[in-house]
Amino acid sequence: MNKETYSIIGMHCASCKALIERTLNKTEGIKSAQINYGAEKLTLEYEPTKIQLSKITKIISDLGTYELVTNTKGDTVLATPGEKKNIIEERKQNELQKLKFNLMFSGIGLIPFALLMIWMLFAPVLMWPMLEDLIKVQTVHLIQFVLSTLILFFGGREIYKSAIVALKVKAFNMDTLITIGTFTAWAYSTLITFFPNFLKLENQEVYFEAAVFIVFFILLGRFLEARAKSKTNDAIKSLLKLQVKEAIVERNGKEITLPLDDVVVGDVLIIKPGQKVPVDSVIIEGSTALDESMLTGESLPIEKTIGAKVIGSTLNKTGYIKAKTEKVGADTMLSQIIQMVEDAQASEAPIQKLADKVSGIFVPVVLVTAVATFVIWAVFGTLPLAVYTATTVLIIACPCALGLATPTAIMVGTGKAAKRGILIKDAKALELANKITHIVFDKTGTLTKGHPEVQTLEFAQDIKNQPHIKDIIYSIESKSHHPLAEAVINYFSSSKKLKVNFFEDVSGKGIRAKVDDDEVLIGNQKLMDDAKIKISESLNTKAQHKMELGETIAFVALNNKIVAFLGIADPIKEEAIDLVTQLKQKNITSIMLTGDNKKTAQAVASKLGITNVISEVLPNQKAYKIKELQNKEGNIVAMVGDGINDAPALAQAHIGIAMGTGTDVAIESGDVVLLGGSVIKTYEAIEISKKTLSTIKQNLFWAFGYNTLGIPIAAGILYPFFGILLSPIIASLAMALSSVSVVGNSLRLKGK
């Protein structure tokens, strides 16, 4: 079973989406077909042994003016997001140019109609009887017939073509309504023009100008909508622009410049100051500062030395470095980010389901309403009035705004998040983040920096030669492989290395060593007790206090006498304190979930302001603890973590938020990924969700409100009481602007 996402071009409204989905989901070999109308993406799950992609492409094209964008063979997905995007953009530009030409053609043909309307408006006031005598009504009707025929059947040919193709497969779309409405007005007016006495009507009014203006405004609306929709995808476009085109590679001792596609894993890259890193690699020579703002949203450069990983398309600010290629093509971080954002934009939020249900039955309901309107006014009014109101009903009904309400906001919201270093994998997570009631945090690497540091160095009162003791500690720890040894080495990095004559690692307790003639012990209280070395009361009191604050204590004994102790801890991220405070203000409960002992966990939690702590939890129990929280009614639980042991809990939570600096397993399990390891972005993700959902609700309110009010007025509900009728021309303008306004409202998210 293949599951792929493809771009689809040529849809004009939500009913187009419903038609394609319905047809594909009935086709043998296709398990599911889901379209995101705003993103113009089709997510397809099909069995290639039963149906080929080329056949699916043909099924879609047979439904109307739709095109599924695959590669030239039509059987496989294009290699890279960039290549795929270029072809899609090219075809969209072609569609836009075609639309622009039809719009301009219709606009030029519209000028005589506009002049005629102005003349008819002012002629009685200015008393131009001569003009009225010169221009016979029948001649005017004939000129209108010629112009309107050209505009409808040439300028609006794509609308008519789409409706006819849909009719062939016994389906309806928005173009069906427009076609029936404009053709009815044109046919009625043509009958009046050539056979004025056929219907024996006193009112010989024609509606050529209404049909022409309708087509023009529909084309104008689609053109403006296409232009506006292209801006909703600016995030993807800006990411694609970041991709490097060439790389300097060292091969056989020579520096050569190659296209990026020719770079392979293992190549040595030369990256000079001011150049971008071509692909994901690791530094093997030199040091520098990298601007990783494209990845994390943070503008401060990050120091990088030998052994550090560098990400493709980040900017080398200062140093000359050599780096060994680790990932190329679709495997690079930037390509994966682009793919992740594209997938999120192609996904569908739960709130969209209501709009889809309405859109799916909308066209048939409108057709029935139009027929009912025609019959009622034909019986209780006049035939011209019946044609006028039925045409207006057909034109004003617009499910397009409904179809665009959610996906356009989702596209802008996920794009905005990506620029801030927040990757939201699907629309469901974006919608749900706004409803979070509890956030469970892993401790190490999430709330803390994830690597221990020496927090305290306390000497005994009578120790005078402190620099020498520092040299001794540094020299011994340099030989240790204990996880905490690196923290000590970094702390004493400026000390002098002495010769260590003897070294023994005492498992679970510490180190026994000899430096020159000095016997040295570095370790916990058990090691000191075994050596029967007493700790002074004052030093022990200080050590106990540091332990209560969550520090791991290592005593240092020189020749059977305690001379100092070290306090080592994983330091808290300063931003984590701000995050907990911000979440409290939003009435979101913060919970710490950790495998650490209760004492250490409580110490860290108290510094952060977290009162809910679940400690001493085994990795396989974390998901169970999340499930317990979810079982309480009304709880929407998010989990923030970075380790392999967090992956089950991230998957179990309503929303899994993975730290981008964590393991690949954790990142895969998360619904949201925070690039750069900045936990404060959890709050940003919630804020983006809140603003996006607010925009979606505004869009849906406008879309539903427009149709709820527009259709009854178009049907003439106000005419018997106030003599008010809605013009088909105004209806077409309102319909066109409804979609544009929804897209425009979504674009406001960019500025928030």
Side-chain angles (χ1 to χ4, degrees):
M1 192 71 71
N2 284 3
K3 186 174 182 181
E4 303 290 353
T5 299
Y6 303 97
S7 285
I8 186 165
I9 296 171
M11 294 185 296
H12 304 305
C13 64
S15 55
C16 296
K17 157 191 159 75
L19 168 62
I20 298 167
E21 281 183 341
R22 188 168 60 248
T23 306
L24 291 180
N25 283 318
K26 287 179 181 177
T27 304
E28 188 182 355
I30 297 176
K31 184 180 178 182
S32 71
Q34 182 180 306
I35 291 175
N36 183 311
Y37 171 54
E40 296 179 299
K41 295 287 179 68
L42 165 65
T43 301
L44 195 64
E45 197 170 353
Y46 67 100
E47 199 170 338
T49 55
K50 290 185 178 179
I51 187 167
Q52 292 294 310
L53 187 57
S54 53
K55 186 178 179 181
I56 297 171
T57 304
K58 188 176 185 306
I59 290 170
I60 291 170
S61 62
D62 287 346
L63 288 174
T65 55
Y66 316 122
E67 180 186 1
L68 191 69
V69 182
T70 60
N71 72 343
T72 49
K73 293 180 182 177
D75 289 321
T76 55
V77 185
L78 290 160
T80 66
E83 183 187 353
K84 186 177 179 181
K85 205 70 185 176
N86 290 339
I87 291 174
I88 293 163
E89 288 302 319
E90 184 183 324
R91 298 198 187 173
K92 283 185 180 179
Q93 283 301 314
N94 291 338
E95 284 285 315
L96 198 62
Q97 288 304 316
K98 190 191 295 183
L99 191 57
K100 187 178 180 180
F101 173 80
N102 291 336
L103 176 63
M104 290 177 69
F105 179 85
S106 302
I108 292 168
L110 199 71
I111 294 171
F113 286 94
L115 293 172
L116 183 64
M117 289 173 71
I118 294 168
W119 174 72
M120 290 176 68
L121 187 66
F122 290 106
V125 178
L126 299 174
M127 299 178 70
W128 291 345
M130 289 177 63
L131 282 173
E132 289 183 355
D133 290 338
L134 287 170
I135 304 173
K136 292 183 179 180
V137 171
Q138 205 65 21
T139 305
V140 172
H141 287 180
L142 195 59
I143 293 168
Q144 286 181 311
F145 165 76
V146 173
L147 289 173
S148 63
T149 302
L150 284 171
I151 292 170
L152 260 66
F153 302 114
F154 182 75
R157 65 190 180 281
E158 295 297 328
I159 297 170
Y160 279 77
K161 181 182 175 184
S162 171
I164 292 166
V165 173
L167 194 62
K168 284 180 180 177
V169 293
K170 299 176 183 178
F172 301 105
N173 58 20
M174 189 61 213
D175 288 332
T176 307
L177 300 182
I178 298 165
T179 298
I180 293 172
T182 54
F183 185 79
T184 301
W186 176 85
Y188 174 81
S189 303
T190 300
L191 194 63
I192 294 293
T193 300
F194 291 99
F195 308 98
N197 298 318
F198 180 76
L199 296 175
K200 298 178 181 180
L201 298 172
E202 290 182 17
N203 183 356
Q204 296 286 318
E205 185 179 356
V206 295
Y207 301 117
F208 286 123
E209 77 283 350
V212 166
F213 271 96
I214 287 165
V215 168
F216 174 76
F217 283 131
I218 297 300
L219 293 173
L220 177 63
R222 287 182 180 177
F223 179 75
L224 294 174
E225 180 189 316
R227 288 278 298 272
K229 273 168 69 178
S230 68
K231 293 179 182 178
T232 63
N233 220 8
D234 280 352
I236 292 288
K237 290 175 184 174
S238 61
L239 287 171
L240 287 168
K241 285 177 184 176
L242 291 171
Q243 289 182 323
V244 181
K245 302 293 184 290
E246 294 180 332
I248 302 173
V249 179
E250 190 180 78
R251 287 184 181 173
N252 302 320
K254 293 181 179 179
E255 291 184 15
I256 55 173
T257 302
L258 296 174
L260 199 66
D261 291 342
D262 293 342
V263 176
V264 297
V265 174
D267 270 341
V268 175
L269 306 170
I270 308 294
I271 309 159
K272 299 172 184 178
Q275 291 183 337
K276 285 184 177 180
V277 176
V279 291
D280 298 3
S281 44
V282 60
I283 296 176
I284 58 173
E285 184 181 311
S287 61
T288 188
L290 281 185
D291 178 356
E292 295 184 337
S293 56
M294 55 72 64
L295 185 71
T296 64
E298 304 300 333
S299 57
L300 289 176
I302 309 297
E303 295 294 329
K304 300 281 184 177
T305 57
I306 293 172
K309 292 181 183 294
V310 290
I311 305 301
S313 300
T314 54
L315 181 63
N316 182 19
K317 298 284 282 186
T318 56
Y320 174 96
I321 57 172
K322 289 184 180 181
K324 190 174 183 180
T325 302
E326 285 194 327
K327 293 178 181 177
V328 295
D331 294 329
T332 63
M333 175 72 83
L334 182 60
S335 290
Q336 288 177 351
I337 289 171
I338 291 169
Q339 193 60 58
M340 210 177 282
V341 176
E342 282 188 335
D343 290 345
Q345 292 182 342
S347 64
E348 199 166 72
I351 198 171
Q352 177 69 16
K353 289 178 182 177
L354 174 62
D356 283 349
K357 283 181 181 177
V358 174
S359 299
I361 61 170
F362 201 84
V363 174
V365 168
V366 171
L367 283 170
V368 171
T369 305
V371 170
T373 301
F374 180 87
V375 171
I376 290 168
W377 286 118
V379 173
F380 297 102
T382 64
L383 185 59
L385 182 61
V387 172
Y388 190 90
T389 51
T391 300
T392 309
V393 168
L394 289 168
I395 298 306
I396 200 168
C398 176
C400 303
L402 281 173
L404 289 166
T406 300
T408 52
I410 294 290
M411 289 173 74
V412 179
T414 51
K416 179 82 173 176
K419 286 187 175 183
R420 293 292 305 142
I422 304 163
L423 295 182
I424 299 170
K425 290 186 180 180
D426 58 47
K428 183 181 177 183
L430 182 64
E431 181 181 331
L432 200 58
N434 179 57
K435 302 173 184 176
I436 291 171
T437 59
H438 294 72
I439 297 187
V440 180
F441 293 97
D442 169 53
K443 180 179 77 70
T444 307
T446 303
L447 296 172
T448 65
K449 292 182 179 179
H451 52 82
E453 294 177 5
V454 174
Q455 303 292 308
T456 306
L457 172 60
E458 188 75 39
F459 286 98
Q461 290 180 351
D462 56 345
I463 302 302
K464 294 178 181 179
N465 194 9
Q466 293 180 7
H468 181 63
I469 293 173
K470 290 180 182 178
D471 292 341
I472 290 173
I473 297 170
Y474 175 68
S475 303
I476 294 170
E477 291 291 346
S478 296
K479 290 188 169 291
S480 175
H481 296 288
H482 192 277
L484 299 181
E486 189 177 348
V488 179
I489 294 165
N490 290 336
Y491 186 76
F492 293 111
S493 59
S494 60
S495 297
K496 186 168 60 176
K497 190 175 280 191
L498 306 174
K499 186 179 180 182
V500 179
N501 298 319
F502 170 78
F503 179 91
E504 181 188 358
D505 193 342
V506 184
S507 180
K509 296 177 183 178
I511 299 167
R512 184 180 289 112
K514 189 173 183 179
V515 179
D516 295 331
D517 295 326
D518 294 318
E519 300 280 349
V520 185
L521 294 176
I522 304 175
N524 57 25
Q525 192 163 348
K526 287 182 181 178
L527 183 65
M528 302 302 138
D529 289 344
D530 289 349
K532 297 180 180 178
I533 299 172
K534 290 185 178 181
I535 304 168
S536 68
E537 191 174 333
S538 61
L539 202 63
N540 193 44
T541 301
K542 290 177 182 178
Q544 290 299 321
H545 174 66
K546 294 297 180 183
M547 286 175 70
E548 288 171 5
L549 294 176
E551 294 181 16
T552 299
I553 301 300
F555 292 99
V556 181
L558 186 65
N559 299 321
N560 295 320
K561 181 183 178 183
I562 301 290
V563 293
F565 75 80
L566 298 165
I568 304 168
D570 185 2
I572 290 169
K573 293 177 180 176
E574 290 180 13
E575 62 188 31
I577 300 171
D578 295 332
L579 173 61
V580 173
T581 304
Q582 289 173 336
L583 293 175
K584 276 182 184 175
Q585 291 169 355
K586 278 192 167 289
N587 296 317
I588 296 173
T589 304
S590 297
I591 301 169
M592 183 193 288
L593 181 65
T594 178
D596 274 0
N597 64 72
K598 189 175 182 180
K599 200 170 186 179
T600 302
Q602 289 288 355
V604 173
S606 64
K607 290 179 185 176
L608 291 163
I610 295 176
T611 53
N612 297 283
V613 181
I614 305 171
S615 57
E616 299 177 0
V617 179
L618 295 173
N620 60 351
Q621 294 176 330
K622 285 189 173 184
Y624 177 74
K625 293 293 182 183
I626 295 291
K627 197 171 183 179
E628 279 186 344
L629 286 167
Q630 289 175 313
N631 287 336
K632 294 179 182 177
E633 193 175 346
N635 283 3
I636 302 294
V637 182
M639 169 72 191
V640 186
D642 72 327
I644 292 173
N645 60 334
D646 297 322
L650 289 167
Q652 175 63 46
H654 291 114
I655 299 177
I657 303 174
M659 305 299 289
T661 50
T663 62
D664 290 343
V665 177
I667 292 170
E668 283 295 320
S669 302
D671 303 299
V672 178
V673 181
L674 308 180
L675 298 174
S678 178
V679 73
I680 197 74
K681 292 186 186 294
T682 304
Y683 182 80
E684 286 187 43
I686 294 169
E687 281 295 292
I688 289 170
S689 168
K690 180 182 176 182
K691 288 179 171 63
T692 304
L693 202 65
S694 173
T695 301
I696 290 170
K697 288 176 179 177
Q698 291 165 12
N699 288 348
L700 288 172
F701 176 80
W702 163 252
F704 277 116
Y706 163 82
N707 285 296
T708 304
L709 291 172
I711 293 174
I713 295 171
I717 196 170
L718 299 177
Y719 186 67
F721 308 103
F722 306 104
I724 296 173
L725 280 175
L726 186 64
S727 163
I729 297 172
I730 300 299
S732 62
L733 179 61
M735 194 205 89
L737 293 179
S738 66
S739 297
V740 177
S741 65
V742 163
V743 178
N745 189 45
S746 296
L747 287 172
R748 289 193 311 116
L749 277 168
K750 283 186 174 185
K752 290 186 179 180

